[in-house]
């Protein structure tokens, strides 16, 4: 989302973003809204209520005079992690909330929408800048939950032996595949972090200098076929390839292949949002943990890129790719133009931490990003379920290194 200066633009952006969330949920049956397959995922019903709670808490309550919350206890149910706002229902028990019903949650959305449109129609000089900033934050927050909805629906459905398809009409793109090309980058002092006027999260700031040695990057993601080579070469059995935590994890969990794969030898299927499909050897390998990405890179005699290396490369590329609006909801084989944004979030070797001089947002919104700056890794680029226009070179996604329900993959890097 980009900043909106005109009230009519703001209202249109709000309507469009909210409607898109409901469109994502439209293929769901009522029963599907309740599922929480693992602690990391949330029921779709919780997501669509939580994003409404965000607008209610950070915009309607402080800025719309006389606003009355839809329900006095919904703040407890649908606060995610904002400790300074109040207590909250445990994350692991979101799937136990059979009430409010799906119908009531949609009524809650309607209530919030009605009052948000009143607020956006009555901006005045005293609150205008702050309301517009928080609106942009709320819309970008809802876009993040749109991506999470697809991630979580996929995981929820994957545990059903019937392997239900979320949609049967998704576009599928096959490709012939091609070798990766290597791009060379010169050493020097570079700048990373958000610059300019466009919306960005606090964790992308301040823009600052970094010293980089010369490096090389593959111009596309690693494919299923290449990853099968790693598996067939005993990659999951060779401790020399693994970080200690990763080796412990794959043995404890008996991981032998990426998440959502089933099969053996050279005959593999993959669960997708379009249901079970034969594995396309030319598609980028998807749903890897950082440990698996790192082990593959070591097996290939290369390494993962750092955040700064990848950000500098992304900044030089046009911001286009296979995002959610391609309506595939699955990564596609690389084209001749290279594969930079979209398809899959690229794991980096960089721990998610504060940039020099980082200052979180004021007040409770300062809990949005900064307090998660420990023990997670940065991912860059966006993916096939990221809303178009949501990501950028400086965007910092972050997950724990063992997480693999996100649409995550890898690109190889090397020293020049
Ligand atoms: Fe959230």
């Amino acid at each position: 989302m980009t900043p909106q200066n005109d009230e009519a633009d703001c209202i249109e952006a709000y309507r469009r973003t909210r409607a898109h969330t409901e469109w994502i949920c439209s293929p769901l049956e009522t029963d599907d809204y309740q599922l929480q397959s693992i602690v990391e995922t949330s029921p779709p019903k919780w997501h669509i209520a939580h994003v409404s709670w965000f607008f209610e808490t950070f915009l309607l309550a402080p800025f719309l005079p006389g606003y009355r919350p839809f329900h006095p206890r919904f703040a407890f149910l649908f606060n995610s992690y904002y400790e300074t706002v109040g207590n909250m229902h445990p994350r692991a028990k979101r799937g136990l909330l059979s009430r409010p019903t799906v119908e009531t949650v949609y009524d809650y959305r309607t209530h919030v929408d009605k009052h948000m449109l009143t607020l956006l129609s009555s901006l005045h000089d005293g609150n205008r800048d702050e309301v517009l900033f928080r609106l942009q934050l709320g819309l970008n927050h809802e876009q993040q939950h749109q991506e999470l909805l697809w991630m979580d629906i996929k995981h929820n459905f994957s545990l059903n032996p019937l392997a239900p398809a979320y949609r049967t009409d998704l576009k599928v793109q096959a490709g012939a595949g091609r070798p990766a090309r290597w791009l060379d980058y010169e050493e020097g002092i570079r700048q990373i972090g958000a610059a300019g006027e466009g919306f960005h999260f606090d964790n992308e700031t301040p823009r600052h200098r970094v010293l980089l040695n010369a490096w090389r990057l593959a111009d596309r993601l690693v494919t299923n076929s290449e990853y099968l080579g790693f598996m067939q070469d005993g990659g999951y059995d060779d401790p020399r390839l693994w970080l200690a935590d990763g080796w412990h994890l794959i043995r404890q969990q008996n991981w032998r292949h990426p998440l959502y794969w089933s099969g053996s030898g050279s005959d593999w299927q993959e669960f997708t949002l379009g249901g079970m499909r034969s594995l396309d050897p030319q598609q980028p390998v998807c749903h890897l943990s950082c440990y698996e990405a790192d082990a593959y890179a070591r097996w290939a005699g290369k390494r993962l890129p750092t955040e700064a290396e990848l950000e500098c490369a992304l900044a030089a590329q046009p911001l286009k790719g296979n995002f959610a609006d391609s309506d595939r909801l699955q990564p596609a084989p690389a084209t001749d133009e290279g594969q930079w944004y979209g398809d899959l979030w690229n794991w980096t070797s960089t721990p998610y931490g504060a940039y020099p001089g980082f200052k979180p947002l004021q007040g409770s919104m300062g809990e949005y990003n900064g307090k998660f700056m420990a023990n997670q890794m940065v991912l860059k680029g966006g993916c096939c379920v990221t809303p178009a226009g949501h990501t950028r070179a400086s965007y910092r996604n972050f997950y724990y290194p063992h997480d693999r329900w996100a649409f995550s993959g890898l690109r190889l890097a090397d020293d020049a």
Side-chain angles (χ1 to χ4, degrees):
M1 303 297 301
T2 54
Q4 311 288 327
N5 295 317
D6 178 77
E7 273 86 343
D9 287 350
C10 293
I11 289 170
E12 174 54 26
Y14 180 83
R15 284 186 198 277
R16 195 171 54 240
T17 304
R18 298 283 285 174
H20 190 62
T21 302
E22 296 178 10
W23 178 80
I24 290 170
C25 293
S26 61
L28 299 179
E29 300 292 345
T30 304
D31 314 71
D32 301 329
Y33 279 91
Q34 191 62 41
L35 295 171
Q36 181 178 26
S37 50
I38 49 174
V39 64
E40 289 87 351
T41 66
S42 296
K45 184 170 74 178
W46 187 91
H47 280 294
I48 63 174
H50 162 72
V51 289
S52 303
W53 167 86
F54 193 94
F55 287 113
E56 183 173 66
T57 303
F58 295 119
L59 279 147
L60 296 178
F63 293 109
L64 186 64
Y67 176 74
R68 294 171 65 88
F70 179 79
H71 189 288
R73 293 289 284 160
F74 277 15
F76 178 78
L77 295 184
F78 300 123
N79 177 0
S80 51
Y81 53 67
Y82 294 83
E83 305 283 352
T84 58
V85 171
N87 293 330
M88 66 208 71
H89 183 72
R91 182 183 185 188
K93 295 184 177 179
R94 290 172 184 166
L96 301 181
L97 300 174
S98 64
R99 309 297 170 92
T101 63
V102 173
E103 187 178 5
T104 303
V105 165
Y106 274 109
D107 288 344
Y108 178 36
R109 286 182 69 86
T110 301
H111 173 88
V112 168
D113 288 346
K114 178 180 146 198
H115 290 90
M116 279 297 296
L117 295 177
T118 302
L119 174 65
L120 297 176
S121 302
S122 57
L123 298 178
H124 55 79
D125 288 347
N127 66 16
R128 181 185 170 85
D129 289 351
E130 186 63 21
V131 168
L132 291 184
F133 171 74
R134 291 187 183 202
L135 174 68
Q136 291 306 312
L137 188 66
L139 294 179
N140 278 273
H141 172 251
E142 184 136 351
Q143 287 186 316
Q144 290 181 316
H145 279 273
Q146 290 168 357
E147 178 167 333
L148 284 165
L149 272 164
W150 273 314
M151 288 163 51
D152 292 2
I153 290 167
K154 184 171 182 177
H155 197 275
N156 289 340
F157 280 24
S158 76
L159 297 187
N160 187 329
L162 299 179
Y166 157 74
R167 278 178 50 197
T168 55
D169 59 344
L170 292 171
K171 294 177 186 165
V172 177
Q173 182 168 337
R178 63 166 176 81
R181 287 186 288 265
W182 285 84
L183 273 60
D184 289 282
Y185 299 86
E186 293 182 5
E187 68 174 13
I189 297 173
R190 308 295 187 104
Q191 297 236 7
I192 63 167
E197 302 276 306
F199 176 85
H200 52 263
F201 289 106
D202 57 1
N203 62 1
E204 299 167 58
T205 63
R207 190 164 168 84
H208 62 283
R209 293 178 302 169
V210 291
L211 175 62
L212 296 181
N213 293 324
W215 76 99
R216 310 181 73 208
L217 282 181
D219 78 335
R220 66 156 171 78
L221 298 160
V222 170
T223 64
N224 285 327
S225 167
E226 290 166 333
Y227 198 81
L228 268 171
F230 164 74
M231 289 165 52
Q232 290 165 351
D233 196 38
Y236 280 89
D237 297 311
D238 187 347
R240 296 171 301 173
L241 300 174
W242 295 82
L243 293 166
D245 287 354
W247 180 248
H248 178 72
L249 182 68
I250 64 168
R251 290 170 69 81
Q252 183 190 53
Q253 299 293 326
N254 197 27
W255 285 358
R256 308 287 300 167
H257 50 73
L259 182 63
Y260 300 134
W261 285 27
S262 57
S264 61
S266 56
D267 182 20
W268 291 89
Q269 291 194 307
E270 178 180 25
F271 183 74
T272 72
L273 282 164
M276 201 64 87
R277 293 180 186 164
S278 295
L279 193 73
D280 180 341
Q282 301 309 329
Q283 275 186 12
V285 59
C286 187
H287 297 295
L288 296 179
S289 64
C290 190
Y291 297 125
E292 290 164 300
D294 178 81
Y296 175 89
R298 193 165 292 120
W299 172 80
K302 303 291 190 267
R303 61 174 173 79
L304 295 180
T306 67
E307 177 178 21
E309 288 170 341
L310 192 47
E311 180 165 335
C312 291
L314 287 170
Q317 297 294 335
L319 212 175
K320 62 179 185 179
N322 175 20
F323 294 117
D325 61 340
S326 301
D327 211 34
R328 299 186 185 105
L329 309 185
Q330 185 69 9
T335 66
D336 283 342
E337 293 180 3
Q339 188 170 41
W340 296 97
Y341 292 98
D343 286 306
L344 296 174
W345 290 101
N346 293 211
W347 282 110
T348 74
S349 61
T350 301
Y352 175 55
Y355 284 162
F358 168 69
K359 289 190 177 56
L361 292 173
Q362 297 276 315
S364 295
M365 289 178 298
E367 294 190 62
Y368 198 115
N369 283 310
K371 70 181 186 182
F372 299 109
M373 290 175 171
N375 304 323
Q376 305 201 55
M377 305 299 283
V378 173
L379 300 92
K380 306 287 278 188
C383 75
C384 54
V385 293
T386 304
H390 180 71
T391 191
R392 53 198 159 265
S394 61
Y395 198 103
R396 311 183 78 198
N397 203 353
F398 50 91
Y399 283 100
Y400 291 99
H402 60 265
D403 285 334
R404 54 182 198 168
W405 97 105
F407 285 75
S408 51
L410 84 148
R411 156 194 325 277
L412 294 176
D414 201 0
D415 302 324

